[in-house]
Amino acid sequence: MTTMHHTPDLFALSEVRGPVLRPGDEGYAEEVTGFNLAALHTPDVVVAATGADDVVTALRWASATGTPVAVQATGHGANFPIPHGLLISTARMTDVRVDPRRRTATVAAGAKWRDVLAASAPHGLAPLNGTSTDAGAVGYTVGGGLPVLGRTYGYAADLVRSFQAVTPGEPLRETDPDHEPELFWALRGGKGNVAVVTSMVIELLPLSTVLGGGLHYAGEHAETVLNTWVDWTRTVPEQMNSAFAVLRLPPIPQLPAELRGGFWARVAVTWTGDPADGEKLLEPLRAAAPVAVDLVREMPYTEVDSIHMEPQDPLPARESCSLLRELTPEAVRAFLDQVGPAVPDCPLLAAQIRHMGGALSRPARTEDAICARDAGHLLEAVAVIPAPPDAEAVERATTALHSAMSPYGTGRTMVNIHGTPGDAADRARAWTPQVLDRLRRAKRTYDPANLLRFGHTV
């Protein structure tokens, strides 16, 4: 096999069962393209892994040749281009095995949450997935994982029983609270800094249905609805999970017809208790302003994507977040001044504030690297990146929103929603100084050559 630019001979990868692709090969472009089209990957070589053995072989080759490594399952978190090196694609590793008696699922590296849902729902069980079940379960979980049902059940990482993972140049490792506990700690909230996960065992919840959906108001009512929602969140029980958003929706057929092309204020809710109790709790929100579109209903949990209505088709996106301590009247005013009705040319698709607290504020049973437990809310901005110079307007609006809200923040972000990682100081915002130091020590232990250095790394 011929030597490539930036990479040594690939003969050692000949035992990989999946495709090994180089630029120009048929299927290369499809293999490197993820959900977020804003990040264009151009690695020197792609290993399309079919199982853990392929990952072990790929990392052994990378370690022997000093080649930097990135991993991609679905590409939902592709906020950073991979310009060279080795990309391990786990998209073919989609196996999910459910043990209904133990209420667990063994989830392979490339499985999406919808794969886990499909396997668990027939048993009356559900995982702690996020707002889009199209996202990869493992990548989401190693970043901590902020679920739709987080206030009720905590972070996705809280329900991990064990991981199978590969560190550069080493054989497959099994890690849990009792075996290699420091690796287990770093893989729950430390993102892809120390190892490549090939599978995980997670606990499942006895849950079949929820009361969920969105209450949509004309955007002119944003201030009234937001203030009502803030007051409402102070007393709702942990079974109620919700988020307020200002939405500027495009006129696309993927959206409900009545919402296309509109400017909306929305409260998305997911209630795990008795539906009648949930409906009663929603009365103050429904009375706050005229509800133009009410999509709240009792639904099978398999339809959870309909609650937050995240895009299901690949697109170039710019996402970002800030963790907030509390929503004071001044914080509400600052938010609306940036994205409310008085800013008709705001280029953001969505500016959302998620209610945290509840189980999200309690320590995990086994210590982890998540640093968001002190936040009362999470601010998230999402935009579709248009062509320049409109892309510059997106960046300006994103920066201005987080800057305006910084006096009310914890100073930190969540690594999965952080967006494009900047310099070392910017990346550090995903963790406390103490956790960051510990993560760096783990990095020196498990990846001393810093081969796993693409994306949000330390």
Side-chain angles (χ1 to χ4, degrees), residues 29 43 94 105 137 164 174 181 209-210 220 248 288 352 369 376 407 412-413 448:
T94 59
Q164 271 194 344
E174 300 273 356
T209 62
V210 292
E220 66 195 63
R248 290 171 167 87
Q352 178 164 267
R412 288 191 293 278
T413 67

Side-chain angles (χ1 to χ4, degrees), residues 34-260:
F35 183 89
N36 188 352
L37 303 178
L40 178 63
H41 300 324
T42 54
D44 298 313
V45 59
V46 182
V47 168
T50 60
D53 289 346
D54 285 353
V55 177
V56 172
T57 300
L59 279 174
R60 188 182 299 131
W61 175 83
S63 186
T65 58
T67 304
V69 180
V71 185
Q72 178 166 279
T74 67
H76 276 262
N79 294 302
F80 191 93
I82 298 159
H84 55 85
L86 166 67
L87 174 64
I88 299 175
S89 168
T90 61
R92 289 165 176 75
M93 298 169 60
T94 59
D95 186 54
V96 178
R97 298 191 309 278
V98 170
D99 184 332
R101 185 176 62 83
R102 291 184 172 148
R103 289 208 328 238
T104 63
T106 302
V107 182
K112 297 180 178 184
W113 279 121
R114 63 178 47 138
D115 300 324
V116 186
L117 266 173
S120 55
H123 306 287
L125 300 171
L128 269 185
N129 56 275
T131 51
S132 172
T133 65
D134 189 60
V138 165
Y140 166 93
T141 302
V142 297
L146 180 59
V148 173
L149 299 176
R151 277 178 44 80
T152 312
Y153 299 107
Y155 295 93
D158 294 346
L159 296 192
V160 177
R161 294 270 188 92
S162 64
F163 291 104
Q164 271 194 344
V166 188
T167 55
E170 299 292 331
L172 191 66
R173 298 172 183 260
E174 300 273 356
T175 177
D176 59 31
D178 301 316
H179 303 89
E180 303 211 53
E182 195 66 8
L183 180 60
F184 188 66
W185 170 85
L187 287 174
R188 291 172 305 123
K191 202 57 177 172
N193 272 287
V194 295
V196 178
V197 172
T198 57
S199 70
M200 63 181 181
V201 178
I202 59 171
E203 297 176 31
L204 297 172
L205 308 167
L207 183 75
S208 298
T209 62
V210 292
L211 179 73
L215 299 172
H216 298 79
Y217 312 79
E220 66 195 63
H221 299 300
E223 182 171 359
T224 300
V225 175
L226 176 53
N227 280 312
T228 302
W229 176 76
V230 170
D231 289 341
W232 178 80
T233 58
R234 292 193 176 104
T235 58
V236 293
E238 292 180 6
Q239 295 100 310
M240 182 63 78
N241 302 266
S242 66
F244 171 88
V246 174
L247 306 173
R248 290 171 167 87
L249 299 178
I252 56 174
Q254 290 89 336
L255 293 168
E258 59 269 37
L259 294 175
R260 293 173 195 164

Side-chain angles (χ1 to χ4, degrees), residues 273-325:
D274 181 272
D277 293 340
E279 290 283 4
K280 188 164 185 60
L281 274 171
L282 294 179
E283 288 175 1
L285 296 178
R286 288 196 168 110
V291 180
V293 182
D294 189 337
L295 299 179
V296 176
R297 60 189 171 90
E298 188 177 1
M299 65 175 71
Y301 191 68
T302 50
E303 296 177 14
V304 64
D305 281 338
S306 69
I307 297 173
H308 286 261
M309 296 192 308
E310 291 209 0
Q312 297 297 307
D313 299 314
L315 77 173
R318 167 72 163 101
E319 64 178 347
S320 57
C321 78
S322 299
L323 291 165
L324 306 177
R325 293 199 183 279

Side-chain angles (χ1 to χ4, degrees), residues 321-328 330-332 334 371-372 374-379 401-413 429:
C321 78
S322 299
L323 291 165
L324 306 177
R325 293 199 183 279
E326 60 176 330
L327 282 175
T328 63
E330 294 79 14
V332 168
C371 298
D374 59 342
H377 297 83
L378 178 134
L379 168 67
L401 175 60
H402 291 294
S403 177
M405 298 299 286
S406 64
Y408 317 103
T410 67
R412 288 191 293 278
T413 67
R429 294 188 302 125

